[in-house]
Amino acid sequence: MTLIARTRARAVETLTLDSPHNRNALSAALVGELAHALDDCAKDPDVRAIVLTHTGNTFSAGADLKDPPDPSELVGVLRQIVELGKPVVARVPGHVRAGGLGLLAACDIAVAATESTFAFTEVRIGVAPAVISLTLLPRTDPRALARHYLTGERFDAAEAARIGLVTAAGDDVDAVLEPILDGLRRSAPEALAETKRLLTARVLETFDRDAAHLTALSARLFASPHAREGMTAFLERRDPSWVV
C-alpha cells in the first residue's frame, strides 16, 4: 500500500500523506516513503517546489504508537526537508498533533485552515517533544511554546500563526497558497536554493548540536514505564494513572 501519493502541476510536486486510517500517523513505513519521495524531488531538475499535504481530516497525529519510526529516522526526514535545496510548503486543511508538528515546522512555509487545531500531546502520554524540537525551537515563539509543550492544550490556527508555527491561515487554504506558489514559480531555482540556505542555517546548527542528544532522549522516554502507561491508556481511551 502506498502511503505517499504524488502529483505534479507546473513544476510543483505535491506529496500527500495518505494513511487516513490512522490519521496519517508517522509510522516507520510512512516516514520511509516520505524520505524516498523527498529524495526523488531533490534530484529532479523539473521540480521547483514541493507541497506537503494530507488526506483525511488530520495532517498527522504524530508518532504511530503501533509502528513507530526509529527516532533517528524521524530526525533524518526532518533534516531532509530543512536541507532540501527547494522550498517545501505545508498545505494543512486539517488538524496536527505531536510529531506532526515537527514535520510542519520543518517546512519553509506552512498554510493552515481557519478550523485547523494543534496540540503537543506528548506530555499526556508520558514522553516529551524531543526530536521535533529540532525544527520547532529555532522557529517558534519560546514563551508560547513553553505553555503548549507543558500543558498539551489544544490551540487554534490563529494562535499557530501568532507564534510562528504556521505562516498563514484562512478559510480557503488553496486561495492562501495561490500567490505563494506563484511566487515560487517566478523565482530562479538557484536563487531559491541559496535563499533557503540563508533561512535554514540556524535550524541546521540546532541539528548539528542537539540531534544525537534528543534522539537518545526520545528513545529513553518511549521505553519508560510512564510511556508504557500513557500509551496503553491512550489506546484504551482512559486517563493514565497520574491524572488527578
Side-chain angles (χ1 to χ4, degrees), residues 102-162:
L103 198 61
L104 187 67
C107 297
D108 303 289
I109 297 169
V111 175
T114 304
E115 64 269 21
S116 296
T117 63
F118 310 81
F120 294 97
T121 54
E122 288 88 348
V123 289
R124 297 193 179 192
I125 64 164
V127 296
V131 165
I132 62 172
S133 288
L134 293 166
T135 55
L136 284 154
L137 290 178
R139 287 180 158 166
T140 311
D141 177 80
R143 295 298 280 178
L145 205 58
R147 172 178 177 171
H148 296 306
Y149 265 24
L150 292 169
T151 67
E153 294 172 275
R154 185 181 302 178
F155 56 98
D156 62 16
E159 170 73 352
R162 185 189 72 79

Side-chain angles (χ1 to χ4, degrees), residues 71-103:
S72 63
E73 293 174 350
L74 183 56
V75 169
V77 82
L78 295 178
R79 182 161 193 152
Q80 192 176 7
I81 292 170
V82 174
E83 281 190 319
L84 196 74
K86 302 172 185 185
V88 181
V89 180
R91 174 188 176 274
V92 185
H95 309 294
V96 196
R97 298 289 184 268
L101 291 159
L103 198 61

Side-chain angles (χ1 to χ4, degrees), residues 144-228:
L145 205 58
R147 172 178 177 171
H148 296 306
Y149 265 24
L150 292 169
T151 67
E153 294 172 275
R154 185 181 302 178
F155 56 98
D156 62 16
E159 170 73 352
R162 185 189 72 79
I163 69 177
L165 180 61
V166 301
T167 309
D171 294 335
D172 185 337
V173 172
D174 292 318
V176 178
L177 273 176
E178 185 176 357
I180 293 170
L181 297 181
D182 180 65
L184 297 177
R185 289 183 172 111
R186 292 175 181 274
S187 303
E190 186 175 351
L192 282 175
E194 292 303 326
T195 301
K196 176 167 177 173
R197 198 186 308 275
L198 292 172
L199 292 166
T200 58
R202 188 162 66 95
V203 184
L204 290 173
E205 287 174 2
T206 302
F207 274 84
D208 292 339
R209 184 186 67 237
D210 298 333
H213 163 67
L214 292 176
T215 299
L217 174 62
S218 179
R220 177 170 64 80
L221 290 174
F222 268 92
S224 70
H226 272 156
R228 285 194 294 275

